[in-house]
Amino acid sequence: MSTTEFQLIDAAVEAAGAVAGFWAASAPSVRSGLLRGLASGLEQYQAALVALADEETGLGAGRLNGEVARTAFQLRGFADEVEAGVPYQTIDDQAAAGAPPVGRPRLTRTHEPLGPVAMFSASNFPFAFSVLGGDTASALAAGCPVVVKTHSGHPRLSRAVHEVAQGVLDGMNLPGGLLGLVDGASRAAGLHLVAHPQIAAVAFTGSYQGGTALWKAANERRRPVPFFGELGSINPLIALPGILERDSEALANTLAASITQGTGQFCTSPGVIVLLDHPASDRFVAQLSAALQPIKTHRMLTPGMRNGFDAGVAHLLASDAASQVFEPLADSEGPAPRLFKVDAKAFIEDANLREEMFGPAAVVLTVESIEQATAVLHAIGGSLTATLWGFEDATDDTRALLRAARQIAGRVLFSGVPTGVAVTHAQQHGGPWPASTQPQSTSVGYAALQRYLRPVALQDAPAWALAQQGAQP
């Protein structure tokens, strides 16, 4: 990376740092006005932006228009949160006379925005997890400026969206430093951004390897900062024999569509299917194979991702513990779907068999017992989601598996498939390591803004200090 590129990163971060105090003290009307303006700006230029996004990613106009709608929706949703006073909320404990522990001073719990946030765009969501995506929206709502690191999979789109955003800022007479943009695909660029002393937090969605390198850098700083990283997930799905006896063909079709959606390039794509040894499970695998094999996929987002997927397939083909369920058809624009059977005992014992294949593929494990199914979940260790089909009745078995699923996943589904993440107050998109670095936080949903707020207790504060905080009990 050149000295000039370092200087551009420094300039963007310093511009964010210069306006951090102004934005932390900004009124709800100003913050919400910006978020709504950004949503409208995105919609105003939607046709041109979608065309550019499709050219760079190949995701298709239908998918990309839907993603713009989601991005605008969550920008307005965070504006609603700001107008409801969520980032300004306080808890006020009035003073009580007497000796401790009954007696106490007045304590007012408030929140302080962390400061400039470095946000790393994701490859697979060029709108919803990029320049104006959920990380940016939640940070701005919390009162933090943002410096966006573009992704090499859609750099021209990132620059175009940033230009739209700068137009909105100019139109509202707000400083451009509230939303900076830095290019550079190199590892050095990312590390330099994370290491900048004015960066106060980092948001990342991407690979395990890239995320862990940046996470280490954030913690090795002289002054470590929070790193909110989503590092990938294999999203186990358990289907009990009872539901497969009732509706296996429809479930197989639904699952096949989920595995191949977006050519499998979803962080919530179901990658591990756990079945009990039962005739209904055998029939389900045959139906899933029939549904998967003919599906045509579009090209993957980058050549590197395609190479990674091919390497994952080659690894399983070379493993004595794995076998192909069906012979894949010829590749279309993207890779042909793949389905493997993997020995459950080997899966539990060998971490190499649990690596994410980011693409249209899944593995099937046939377990001998509920205890072995539970062991599979614990071996996975951390996942964004876990899906449980056929858990309508409370039994010792369903209770045990639900407990294991809750321990390893951020979101547990009892119907449907995990691809598709609703933007709501109750959403949790994050899970224990290695799914994310901060499992107590979410990167989707309105609780995401809490990541960028630090609690501060004010003791016996005068009225003017509470007013300066914008405190709203």
Side-chain angles (χ1 to χ4, degrees):
M1 185 173 180
S2 70
T3 302
T4 301
E5 287 173 313
F6 277 122
Q7 291 171 339
L8 292 173
I9 291 173
D10 291 343
V13 177
E14 287 159 12
V19 299
F22 157 76
W23 196 241
S26 60
S29 60
V30 177
R31 283 192 211 175
S32 63
L34 174 58
L35 291 165
R36 294 190 190 282
L38 293 172
S40 297
L42 195 61
E43 291 168 337
Q44 180 181 351
Y45 295 97
Q46 180 169 341
L49 293 172
V50 164
L52 179 55
D54 190 31
E55 184 179 327
E56 287 194 294
T57 68
L59 290 174
R63 150 74 190 275
L64 290 165
N65 277 301
E67 197 179 322
V68 170
R70 168 185 165 171
T71 306
F73 174 83
Q74 64 190 9
L75 282 163
R76 293 189 175 102
F78 280 108
D80 291 342
E81 294 296 288
V82 171
E83 289 169 349
V86 172
Y88 307 90
Q89 284 177 346
T90 63
I91 299 174
D92 199 36
D93 289 333
Q94 294 294 326
V102 175
R104 62 168 187 256
R106 182 187 180 186
L107 284 166
T108 306
R109 185 179 179 89
T110 65
H111 292 91
E112 181 72 15
L114 295 180
V117 175
M119 196 284 281
F120 286 74
S121 293
S123 61
N124 54 343
F125 284 91
F127 290 106
F129 276 84
S130 188
V131 176
L132 292 181
D135 285 327
T136 296
S138 56
L140 290 173
C144 299
V146 178
V147 178
V148 177
K149 168 77 161 53
T150 62
H151 193 278
S152 59
H154 43 83
R156 289 185 295 137
L157 174 68
S158 297
R159 290 191 287 269
V161 172
H162 183 252
E163 186 177 342
V164 170
Q166 288 296 311
V168 173
L169 288 166
D170 289 345
M172 298 181 66
N173 294 316
L174 291 172
L178 286 175
L179 185 61
L181 188 78
V182 296
D183 285 317
S186 71
R187 182 174 182 268
L191 292 172
H192 185 74
L193 177 59
V194 169
H196 195 287
Q198 287 185 265
I199 288 296
V202 182
F204 172 88
T205 299
S207 71
Y208 176 83
Q209 292 79 10
T212 51
L214 295 172
W215 171 73
K216 290 176 182 177
N219 284 283
E220 289 169 356
R221 290 171 36 136
R222 181 177 179 184
R223 181 181 176 185
V225 295
F227 184 90
F228 302 100
E230 181 193 310
L231 310 182
S233 180
I234 58 176
N235 305 299
L237 182 151
I238 299 177
L240 298 182
I243 195 169
L244 297 181
E245 289 180 314
R246 297 194 303 271
D247 201 19
S248 62
E249 186 171 8
L251 292 171
N253 290 332
T254 298
L255 183 55
S258 181
I259 291 169
T260 56
Q261 185 176 359
T263 312
Q265 298 168 116
F266 278 57
C267 54
T268 53
S269 183
V272 179
I273 302 151
V274 183
L275 306 172
L276 288 167
D277 189 4
H278 189 278
S281 299
D282 297 335
R283 183 173 64 252
F284 177 71
V285 173
Q287 291 166 332
L288 177 60
S289 300
L292 266 178
Q293 190 179 33
I295 292 177
K296 304 295 184 184
T297 63
H298 58 71
R299 68 177 172 87
M300 297 192 76
L301 291 161
T302 67
M305 289 182 185
R306 177 60 193 266
N307 292 338
F309 175 73
D310 290 343
V313 168
H315 173 72
L316 287 182
L317 288 172
S319 172
D320 292 337
S323 61
Q324 286 194 114
V325 178
F326 58 80
E327 187 67 29
L329 301 178
D331 291 349
S332 52
E333 290 186 46
R338 304 281 189 141
L339 188 65
F340 292 88
K341 281 188 177 179
V342 175
D343 178 76
K345 184 173 184 293
F347 182 90
I348 293 167
E349 295 174 351
D350 185 355
N352 292 321
L353 294 172
R354 302 193 295 271
E355 291 183 2
E356 180 183 18
M357 279 192 295
F358 198 64
V363 301
V364 175
L365 311 180
T366 300
V367 296
E368 300 171 354
S369 62
I370 294 297
E371 290 73 22
Q372 192 174 41
T374 301
V376 165
L377 293 180
H378 286 306
I380 289 170
S383 183
L384 294 172
T385 73
T387 302
L388 307 177
W389 283 353
F391 282 65
E392 294 83 2
D393 299 324
T395 67
D396 289 343
D397 290 346
T398 55
R399 288 190 182 96
L401 286 170
L402 173 57
R403 176 169 175 76
R406 288 173 60 107
Q407 289 173 332
I408 67 127
R411 176 165 56 110
V412 179
L413 297 82
F414 294 90
S415 66
V417 287
T419 41
V421 185
V423 182
T424 68
H425 288 89
Q427 187 58 266
Q428 175 60 26
H429 191 66
W433 184 279
S436 65
T437 60
Q438 301 275 358
Q440 73 277 20
S441 69
T442 181
S443 62
V444 178
Y446 300 119
L449 70 82
Q450 301 297 334
R451 295 176 293 175
Y452 308 115
L453 295 170
R454 178 175 60 84
V456 177
L458 304 179
Q459 184 167 321
D460 290 332
W464 69 263
L466 295 178
Q468 182 173 297
Q469 288 292 128
Q472 297 180 11

